[in-house]
Amino acid sequence: MDSEKWLWPSENMDFEKVDNAEYQVEVKWSKKPFWDYKNLSYQFYNCGFQVFNNVIESGHDNVKSDMWFLTGIFMIRQSMELGLKALLCRTCTKKSEMQSAFEKCCHNLSALWAEYYSYNKENYLTQEEKQWLEEYFISLELVDAQSDMFRFPFEDDFLSKYRNKFIDNVDVANNLLQAFALIKKCIECGIVSPDDSFDNNLKPEFFIMASHGIGNCYLWQSLTDEGFHVKITGYIAVSDFIFKNKELHNEEKLYPLMFTLRNALELCLKRLFYSRVEKGVSKHDFFSKRKSHLIKKDLWKNVKPVILYYANEQGQDTDIIDIVEKQLDVISRIDKNGDNFRYPTSYSLEYRINNRLFDLKNIYEFMRALLNFFEGCDSMLDAIADYESEMHSYYSGYY
């Protein structure tokens, strides 16, 4: 039995409590940006590689192929962004240069690579490898320029091109891994392991389409839930997988695990903005806050009245809502914008989390319980919306 599915928010849960020695992780950055960005890059890569490996070995498992795989794409893409930023930290001689480069390039891999090469200090790739990587970045940026396509529901422009098509999971994964291997070659000053050797038979393309869905990712998005189901299922399942994975060390897991859990939580809250109930989020708040990353200030503030109203209508105990609010206060304080566990530093190279102990088990159970609560809220509101619709249809016959 998957015990995590039965976790529920309670007063005795403590995100910051450290009492499980085998799950203890210390965050202690070196304060040397190159090394810190490099290490986090490898951590995201290792987790993403494990996800890809599990998905592809599972064969024809639709949930893994269609949902887990998308989360894996984000993790490898994130590892590449961190790796490129590590290279910039090594080549920039001044802190102000690093800050300027980070702010100018943001998540754009092509821009980060061009900025790194513009310093003309390092040249660890062959001309063939360099050309392959640059063409690959261009192909990737056409699909996911802002590093958000695989975190949130697909946008209309994306769906107009790719809806109901299949991408070849093996080919897409191999190209992502090769792109990271070339960045890693630069990080390691030209040293390459046999597993990372360059394959010039791979075409520098991000999306490689397939003619069938067996073992491949079907790019679909339900019209009834605005695409949240695929992303939420993927991020929660990958979080479960990372936490339970025995091939990853606790230190490798912490930041990728916290990010995937926090992103899933943000997705769950945003999905409630789209609830079809009559007393849902107002149109003004829907359009002004639905894309915010602020879990407490913008997202919870607007969905809490909806949950509270219908809980009272059904005579349910509302004490749990107070518990959830306190727990969201903790998440908001530790990771307000959803990027504290995505990068070692801010754009200004400020270390926001450092010299702290965390307990992976307590963190996981704390976050997983919140996710179960919001999944339950979504199911409750869906059932109520169906009932309200039926009542409207029934009584409209009398007028």
Side-chain angles (χ1 to χ4, degrees):
M1 182 180 293
D2 296 328
S3 59
E4 68 273 2
K5 295 179 180 178
W6 301 100
L7 292 168
W8 202 247
S10 64
E11 292 279 11
N12 63 351
M13 286 184 165
D14 188 344
F15 183 97
E16 298 176 280
K17 187 176 181 180
V18 180
D19 58 359
N20 297 287
E22 67 272 33
Y23 292 101
Q24 182 175 305
V25 181
E26 182 180 14
V27 175
K28 191 174 182 63
W29 297 110
S30 70
K31 294 293 189 78
K32 297 176 181 178
F34 164 71
W35 291 104
D36 295 333
Y37 272 86
K38 170 190 170 180
N39 289 336
L40 190 56
S41 170
Y42 288 10
Q43 289 168 16
F44 267 93
Y45 175 83
N46 290 339
C47 288
F49 180 86
Q50 288 292 323
V51 172
F52 276 173
N53 197 47
N54 187 276
V55 169
I56 290 167
E57 287 187 351
S58 71
H60 188 39
D61 184 321
N62 286 338
V63 172
K64 291 185 177 183
S65 296
D66 296 351
M67 303 179 193
W68 289 40
F69 191 73
L70 299 177
T71 308
I73 289 177
F74 169 80
M75 298 183 89
I76 300 298
R77 190 204 188 283
Q78 177 66 11
S79 72
M80 290 194 287
E81 180 184 331
L82 289 163
L84 290 170
K85 288 179 174 177
L87 290 172
L88 277 170
C89 290
R90 187 169 68 192
T91 53
C92 293
T93 56
K94 299 178 181 178
K95 182 178 179 180
S96 60
E97 290 179 345
M98 297 183 215
Q99 293 171 336
S100 176
F102 282 15
E103 291 175 4
K104 180 171 70 174
C105 301
C106 294
H107 309 295
N108 189 298
L109 302 184
S110 292
L112 288 165
W113 173 257
E115 187 74 11
Y116 162 63
Y117 240 78
S118 70
Y119 284 90
N120 201 30
K121 293 182 178 179
E122 302 181 351
N123 186 19
Y124 296 111
L125 302 186
T126 67
Q127 183 58 36
E128 183 181 26
E129 291 170 337
K130 180 174 178 289
Q131 182 177 343
W132 189 98
L133 189 60
E134 289 174 351
E135 290 180 10
Y136 182 76
F137 285 155
I138 292 171
S139 177
L140 187 153
E141 297 296 337
L142 289 174
V143 178
D144 186 25
Q146 301 301 320
S147 191
D148 56 5
M149 195 59 66
F150 303 100
R151 289 177 59 199
F152 304 111
F154 294 133
E155 298 287 349
D156 291 341
D157 286 348
F158 178 93
L159 292 171
S160 69
K161 296 177 184 177
Y162 301 111
R163 184 191 287 276
N164 297 331
K165 294 183 179 180
F166 304 101
I167 57 173
D168 189 306
N169 283 3
V170 172
D171 287 348
V172 170
N174 281 335
N175 279 2
L176 277 161
L177 300 183
Q178 172 143 297
F180 179 82
L182 292 174
I183 296 171
K184 183 180 177 182
K185 182 180 179 181
C186 296
I187 291 173
E188 300 297 338
C189 300
I191 298 173
V192 182
S193 70
D195 291 339
D196 292 332
S197 58
F198 179 69
D199 183 355
N200 59 10
N201 292 312
L202 298 179
K203 295 182 179 180
E205 298 173 6
F206 176 54
F207 261 9
I208 299 175
M209 312 315 291
S211 60
H212 60 84
I214 299 176
N216 292 319
C217 180
Y218 178 44
L219 298 172
W220 64 282
Q221 186 153 292
S222 172
L223 296 175
T224 58
D225 80 339
E226 301 293 335
F228 282 96
H229 172 69
V230 170
K231 296 299 185 351
I232 289 172
T233 302
Y235 271 86
I236 292 178
V238 166
S239 298
D240 294 341
F241 170 74
I242 291 173
F243 176 72
K244 297 175 184 177
N245 191 289
K246 301 299 183 184
E247 296 185 42
L248 296 166
H249 301 297
N250 287 341
E251 290 74 16
E252 293 177 287
K253 294 180 181 181
L254 177 61
Y255 269 60
L257 177 63
M258 257 309 301
F259 178 83
T260 53
L261 287 167
R262 203 262 185 213
N263 196 65
L265 182 60
E266 183 176 325
L267 287 166
C268 283
L269 282 160
K270 287 179 173 178
R271 178 167 59 180
L272 297 181
F273 272 63
Y274 292 81
S275 176
R276 298 172 290 115
V277 291
E278 292 178 358
K279 301 290 186 180
V281 175
S282 70
K283 284 187 177 180
H284 174 269
D285 290 329
F286 174 84
F287 286 109
S288 64
K289 304 297 184 184
R290 67 192 172 100
K291 292 192 174 183
S292 172
H293 301 302
L294 302 177
I295 279 183
K296 179 71 188 306
K297 181 182 176 183
D298 290 341
L299 302 181
W300 172 248
K301 178 183 177 182
N302 285 289
V303 301
K304 177 186 175 182
V306 180
I307 297 170
L308 194 57
Y309 173 83
Y310 284 104
N312 282 322
E313 282 285 296
Q314 295 190 325
Q316 296 182 10
D317 181 7
T318 58
D319 289 347
I320 184 68
I321 295 175
D322 294 329
I323 294 172
V324 166
E325 183 161 83
K326 291 176 183 177
Q327 294 184 344
L328 290 176
D329 279 332
V330 175
I331 302 303
S332 180
R333 174 167 49 81
I334 292 173
D335 191 11
K336 184 178 180 180
N337 293 302
D339 56 3
N340 279 4
F341 288 95
R342 189 177 174 185
Y343 303 100
T345 72
S346 64
Y347 280 165
S348 62
L349 298 179
E350 173 192 0
Y351 287 83
R352 291 171 291 195
I353 297 175
N354 199 18
N355 298 318
R356 287 190 60 172
L357 287 176
F358 290 97
D359 185 320
L360 275 182
K361 186 172 186 292
N362 282 340
I363 287 173
Y364 171 73
E365 292 180 350
F366 184 97
M367 296 289 286
R368 200 59 171 80
L370 282 171
L371 291 169
N372 289 342
F373 171 80
F374 286 114
E375 289 260 78
C377 289
D378 180 64
S379 297
M380 176 191 77
L381 294 177
D382 264 358
I384 291 171
D386 289 341
Y387 174 77
E388 290 175 340
S389 179
E390 289 174 10
M391 290 299 98
H392 275 301
S393 297
Y394 178 78
Y395 286 110
S396 64
Y398 291 93
Y399 299 99

